[in-house]
Amino acid sequence: MMPRPTPANDIRPRFVVAVTAVRWLSEGTFEIRLERPVGFKFLPGQKISFVDGALRRDYTLLGPVDAPELALCVRHVPDGLFSPRLSRARIGDRFQITAPFGYFTLKTSGRPAVFVATGTGIAPFVAFANAGARGFDLLHGVRTPAELYYRDLLFTAARRYIPCVSAAAGDGEIGPEGFAGRVDRFLSTQYPDGAYDFFLCGRIQMIRDVTRLIDARFSGSRVFIEAYD
Ligand SMILES: Cc1cc2nc3c(=O)[nH]c(=O)nc-3n(C[C@H](O)[C@H](O)[C@H](O)COP(=O)(O)OP(=O)(O)OC[C@H]3O[C@@H](n4cnc5c(N)ncnc54)[C@H](O)[C@@H]3O)c2cc1C
């Protein structure tokens, strides 16, 4: 595994970019757009870091890779050090970001691809869909249906789009494919046995739970992970 860069040893190019738009997607999550530096190229699934002195926070680029601006989907963590600053950003505010990096990119094989996200962990899968990925199964674990960001894009791109909603939802709110419960419970009770390419992104607890389940139920699968905390 590559060592994770720290502000002290990170020699990747940096750019100062201005905010071009902030749009709230739900009560706690927003999409923020930034100027795209000249020559800034990235692969679907890669991320950038915001850097401010010793503070550094990573966010996944949503794409499309040829869009004129950079777009990110960010959860506002109320007691967080950095996400509240981003949430209050005004058009024209400037931030320092790194060049894109990371290896959580789409690697296809003969096996069916299964994407599993919690919350804003949906971001790399939006990037994959924006880059033309189709025919995958996608489980999006959220607390309420209002957090099913990018639902239309993902519903169209996926073979099966399965919202997994953990808090009680009203009739019809999660659709016929929806599941009332967490992603690990859907996989353990509803998903057919087999060998898959799993891509997991979001909170570390989900990644631990689902990885254990894959070991137990889907042996022979490949697993790629991106932990957000
Ligand atoms: C590779 C990578 C990619 C990431 N991509 C994204 C992304 O696309 N979108 C995104 O929103 N975040 C993403 N994150 C998480 C992001 O980097 C920050 O950790 C997050 O925004 C919290 O930063 P903060 O400074 O506001 O909170 P901090 O000051 O770091 O944390 C404050 C408290 O909040 C808790 N906390 C941290 N994150 C969350 C969370 N998501 N939900 C609830 N509580 C939390 C912490 O455990 C801590 O107790 C990514 C992380 C990594 C490592």
Side-chain angles (χ1 to χ4, degrees), residues 25 29 38 50 56 58 66 84 95 104-105 142 159 166 184 189 194:
L25 304 175
T29 299
V38 175
F50 284 76
R56 172 199 169 105
D58 299 344
D66 54 359
F95 290 91
F104 193 72
T105 52
V142 293
R159 187 182 75 96
S166 54
D184 54 330
T189 62

PDB file of all heavy atoms in Angstrom, residues 25 29 38 50 56 58 66 84 95 104-105 142 159 166 184 189 194:
ATOM      1  N   LEU A  25     -28.022  19.906  -1.239  1.00  0.00           N
ATOM      2  CA  LEU A  25     -28.719  18.741  -1.785  1.00  0.00           C
ATOM      3  C   LEU A  25     -29.729  18.200  -0.774  1.00  0.00           C
ATOM      4  O   LEU A  25     -30.689  17.537  -1.138  1.00  0.00           O
ATOM      5  CB  LEU A  25     -27.727  17.632  -2.129  1.00  0.00           C
ATOM      6  CG  LEU A  25     -26.595  18.002  -3.094  1.00  0.00           C
ATOM      7  CD1 LEU A  25     -25.625  16.846  -3.241  1.00  0.00           C
ATOM      8  CD2 LEU A  25     -27.162  18.384  -4.458  1.00  0.00           C
ATOM      9  N   THR A  29     -26.120  18.217   3.495  1.00  0.00           N
ATOM     10  CA  THR A  29     -25.119  17.934   2.458  1.00  0.00           C
ATOM     11  C   THR A  29     -25.253  18.900   1.300  1.00  0.00           C
ATOM     12  O   THR A  29     -26.364  19.259   0.915  1.00  0.00           O
ATOM     13  CB  THR A  29     -25.281  16.472   1.960  1.00  0.00           C
ATOM     14  OG1 THR A  29     -25.060  15.605   3.071  1.00  0.00           O
ATOM     15  CG2 THR A  29     -24.283  16.122   0.877  1.00  0.00           C
ATOM     16  N   VAL A  38      -5.980  25.149 -15.068  1.00  0.00           N
ATOM     17  CA  VAL A  38      -5.541  24.763 -16.417  1.00  0.00           C
ATOM     18  C   VAL A  38      -4.699  23.484 -16.308  1.00  0.00           C
ATOM     19  O   VAL A  38      -3.860  23.347 -15.419  1.00  0.00           O
ATOM     20  CB  VAL A  38      -4.706  25.909 -17.040  1.00  0.00           C
ATOM     21  CG1 VAL A  38      -4.128  25.486 -18.387  1.00  0.00           C
ATOM     22  CG2 VAL A  38      -5.567  27.155 -17.174  1.00  0.00           C
ATOM     23  N   PHE A  50      -7.974  19.478   0.318  1.00  0.00           N
ATOM     24  CA  PHE A  50      -7.895  20.896   0.654  1.00  0.00           C
ATOM     25  C   PHE A  50      -6.796  21.017   1.697  1.00  0.00           C
ATOM     26  O   PHE A  50      -6.733  20.198   2.626  1.00  0.00           O
ATOM     27  CB  PHE A  50      -9.209  21.388   1.259  1.00  0.00           C
ATOM     28  CG  PHE A  50     -10.297  21.585   0.243  1.00  0.00           C
ATOM     29  CD1 PHE A  50     -10.971  20.490  -0.282  1.00  0.00           C
ATOM     30  CD2 PHE A  50     -10.643  22.858  -0.184  1.00  0.00           C
ATOM     31  CE1 PHE A  50     -11.982  20.671  -1.216  1.00  0.00           C
ATOM     32  CE2 PHE A  50     -11.652  23.044  -1.123  1.00  0.00           C
ATOM     33  CZ  PHE A  50     -12.313  21.951  -1.639  1.00  0.00           C
ATOM     34  N   ARG A  56      -5.766  19.293   6.612  1.00  0.00           N
ATOM     35  CA  ARG A  56      -5.899  18.722   5.278  1.00  0.00           C
ATOM     36  C   ARG A  56      -7.110  17.807   5.269  1.00  0.00           C
ATOM     37  O   ARG A  56      -7.281  16.990   6.169  1.00  0.00           O
ATOM     38  CB  ARG A  56      -4.610  17.936   5.033  1.00  0.00           C
ATOM     39  CG  ARG A  56      -4.604  17.124   3.813  1.00  0.00           C
ATOM     40  CD  ARG A  56      -3.524  16.058   3.933  1.00  0.00           C
ATOM     41  NE  ARG A  56      -3.756  15.161   2.846  1.00  0.00           N
ATOM     42  CZ  ARG A  56      -3.034  15.116   1.755  1.00  0.00           C
ATOM     43  NH1 ARG A  56      -1.949  15.830   1.645  1.00  0.00           N
ATOM     44  NH2 ARG A  56      -3.356  14.317   0.776  1.00  0.00           N
ATOM     45  N   ASP A  58      -9.742  15.424   2.559  1.00  0.00           N
ATOM     46  CA  ASP A  58      -9.888  14.851   1.219  1.00  0.00           C
ATOM     47  C   ASP A  58     -11.356  14.838   0.776  1.00  0.00           C
ATOM     48  O   ASP A  58     -12.246  14.544   1.592  1.00  0.00           O
ATOM     49  CB  ASP A  58      -9.402  13.391   1.215  1.00  0.00           C
ATOM     50  CG  ASP A  58      -7.951  13.257   1.589  1.00  0.00           C
ATOM     51  OD1 ASP A  58      -7.236  14.271   1.558  1.00  0.00           O
ATOM     52  OD2 ASP A  58      -7.533  12.126   1.921  1.00  0.00           O
ATOM     53  N   ASP A  66     -14.350  15.869 -17.993  1.00  0.00           N
ATOM     54  CA  ASP A  66     -14.078  16.970 -18.925  1.00  0.00           C
ATOM     55  C   ASP A  66     -14.947  18.207 -18.627  1.00  0.00           C
ATOM     56  O   ASP A  66     -15.060  19.108 -19.457  1.00  0.00           O
ATOM     57  CB  ASP A  66     -14.295  16.511 -20.376  1.00  0.00           C
ATOM     58  CG  ASP A  66     -15.679  15.912 -20.580  1.00  0.00           C
ATOM     59  OD1 ASP A  66     -16.464  15.846 -19.592  1.00  0.00           O
ATOM     60  OD2 ASP A  66     -15.999  15.525 -21.718  1.00  0.00           O
ATOM     61  N   PRO A  84     -17.602  22.686   7.868  1.00  0.00           N
ATOM     62  CA  PRO A  84     -18.423  23.890   8.056  1.00  0.00           C
ATOM     63  C   PRO A  84     -17.866  25.100   7.298  1.00  0.00           C
ATOM     64  O   PRO A  84     -18.640  25.926   6.794  1.00  0.00           O
ATOM     65  CB  PRO A  84     -18.387  24.113   9.573  1.00  0.00           C
ATOM     66  CG  PRO A  84     -18.135  22.750  10.136  1.00  0.00           C
ATOM     67  CD  PRO A  84     -17.191  22.108   9.148  1.00  0.00           C
ATOM     68  N   PHE A  95      -9.622  28.653  -2.044  1.00  0.00           N
ATOM     69  CA  PHE A  95      -9.084  27.548  -1.235  1.00  0.00           C
ATOM     70  C   PHE A  95      -7.877  26.962  -1.957  1.00  0.00           C
ATOM     71  O   PHE A  95      -7.809  26.990  -3.190  1.00  0.00           O
ATOM     72  CB  PHE A  95     -10.134  26.444  -1.070  1.00  0.00           C
ATOM     73  CG  PHE A  95     -11.288  26.823  -0.180  1.00  0.00           C
ATOM     74  CD1 PHE A  95     -12.432  27.410  -0.720  1.00  0.00           C
ATOM     75  CD2 PHE A  95     -11.225  26.618   1.191  1.00  0.00           C
ATOM     76  CE1 PHE A  95     -13.502  27.763   0.093  1.00  0.00           C
ATOM     77  CE2 PHE A  95     -12.290  26.972   2.009  1.00  0.00           C
ATOM     78  CZ  PHE A  95     -13.434  27.547   1.462  1.00  0.00           C
ATOM     79  N   PHE A 104      -8.874   4.543  -6.212  1.00  0.00           N
ATOM     80  CA  PHE A 104     -10.219   3.963  -6.155  1.00  0.00           C
ATOM     81  C   PHE A 104     -10.908   4.246  -7.492  1.00  0.00           C
ATOM     82  O   PHE A 104     -11.850   5.026  -7.600  1.00  0.00           O
ATOM     83  CB  PHE A 104     -10.992   4.557  -4.980  1.00  0.00           C
ATOM     84  CG  PHE A 104     -12.260   3.805  -4.664  1.00  0.00           C
ATOM     85  CD1 PHE A 104     -12.213   2.550  -4.076  1.00  0.00           C
ATOM     86  CD2 PHE A 104     -13.502   4.345  -4.950  1.00  0.00           C
ATOM     87  CE1 PHE A 104     -13.369   1.851  -3.791  1.00  0.00           C
ATOM     88  CE2 PHE A 104     -14.676   3.659  -4.664  1.00  0.00           C
ATOM     89  CZ  PHE A 104     -14.607   2.407  -4.080  1.00  0.00           C
ATOM     90  N   THR A 105     -10.389   3.607  -8.518  1.00  0.00           N
ATOM     91  CA  THR A 105     -10.912   3.800  -9.868  1.00  0.00           C
ATOM     92  C   THR A 105     -11.565   2.491 -10.305  1.00  0.00           C
ATOM     93  O   THR A 105     -11.361   1.453  -9.667  1.00  0.00           O
ATOM     94  CB  THR A 105      -9.775   4.195 -10.826  1.00  0.00           C
ATOM     95  OG1 THR A 105      -8.724   3.224 -10.687  1.00  0.00           O
ATOM     96  CG2 THR A 105      -9.227   5.573 -10.487  1.00  0.00           C
ATOM     97  N   VAL A 142     -28.426   5.191   3.404  1.00  0.00           N
ATOM     98  CA  VAL A 142     -28.685   6.545   3.921  1.00  0.00           C
ATOM     99  C   VAL A 142     -29.644   6.418   5.105  1.00  0.00           C
ATOM    100  O   VAL A 142     -30.276   5.388   5.295  1.00  0.00           O
ATOM    101  CB  VAL A 142     -29.307   7.465   2.848  1.00  0.00           C
ATOM    102  CG1 VAL A 142     -28.326   7.750   1.723  1.00  0.00           C
ATOM    103  CG2 VAL A 142     -30.597   6.873   2.288  1.00  0.00           C
ATOM    104  N   ARG A 159     -27.753  -1.288 -13.258  1.00  0.00           N
ATOM    105  CA  ARG A 159     -28.643  -2.411 -13.571  1.00  0.00           C
ATOM    106  C   ARG A 159     -29.698  -2.505 -12.466  1.00  0.00           C
ATOM    107  O   ARG A 159     -30.879  -2.575 -12.713  1.00  0.00           O
ATOM    108  CB  ARG A 159     -27.820  -3.706 -13.628  1.00  0.00           C
ATOM    109  CG  ARG A 159     -28.579  -4.927 -14.103  1.00  0.00           C
ATOM    110  CD  ARG A 159     -27.685  -6.151 -14.064  1.00  0.00           C
ATOM    111  NE  ARG A 159     -27.494  -6.614 -12.698  1.00  0.00           N
ATOM    112  CZ  ARG A 159     -28.202  -7.589 -12.130  1.00  0.00           C
ATOM    113  NH1 ARG A 159     -29.129  -8.219 -12.820  1.00  0.00           N
ATOM    114  NH2 ARG A 159     -27.970  -7.947 -10.879  1.00  0.00           N
ATOM    115  N   SER A 166     -32.245   3.551   6.451  1.00  0.00           N
ATOM    116  CA  SER A 166     -32.261   2.956   7.794  1.00  0.00           C
ATOM    117  C   SER A 166     -33.345   3.546   8.694  1.00  0.00           C
ATOM    118  O   SER A 166     -33.883   2.847   9.535  1.00  0.00           O
ATOM    119  CB  SER A 166     -30.886   3.062   8.451  1.00  0.00           C
ATOM    120  OG  SER A 166     -30.451   4.397   8.446  1.00  0.00           O
ATOM    121  N   ASP A 184     -25.537  -3.662   4.819  1.00  0.00           N
ATOM    122  CA  ASP A 184     -25.014  -4.992   5.156  1.00  0.00           C
ATOM    123  C   ASP A 184     -26.165  -5.985   5.352  1.00  0.00           C
ATOM    124  O   ASP A 184     -26.057  -7.156   4.982  1.00  0.00           O
ATOM    125  CB  ASP A 184     -24.074  -4.950   6.369  1.00  0.00           C
ATOM    126  CG  ASP A 184     -24.703  -4.300   7.582  1.00  0.00           C
ATOM    127  OD1 ASP A 184     -25.560  -3.408   7.414  1.00  0.00           O
ATOM    128  OD2 ASP A 184     -24.346  -4.684   8.705  1.00  0.00           O
ATOM    129  N   THR A 189     -29.172 -10.675   3.498  1.00  0.00           N
ATOM    130  CA  THR A 189     -30.475 -11.350   3.436  1.00  0.00           C
ATOM    131  C   THR A 189     -31.066 -11.431   2.036  1.00  0.00           C
ATOM    132  O   THR A 189     -31.895 -12.287   1.768  1.00  0.00           O
ATOM    133  CB  THR A 189     -31.509 -10.641   4.346  1.00  0.00           C
ATOM    134  OG1 THR A 189     -31.686  -9.299   3.877  1.00  0.00           O
ATOM    135  CG2 THR A 189     -31.065 -10.645   5.793  1.00  0.00           C
ATOM    136  N   GLY A 194     -22.533 -15.587  -4.886  1.00  0.00           N
ATOM    137  CA  GLY A 194     -21.745 -15.477  -6.117  1.00  0.00           C
ATOM    138  C   GLY A 194     -20.431 -14.792  -5.836  1.00  0.00           C
ATOM    139  O   GLY A 194     -20.129 -14.425  -4.695  1.00  0.00           O
TER     140      GLY A 194
END
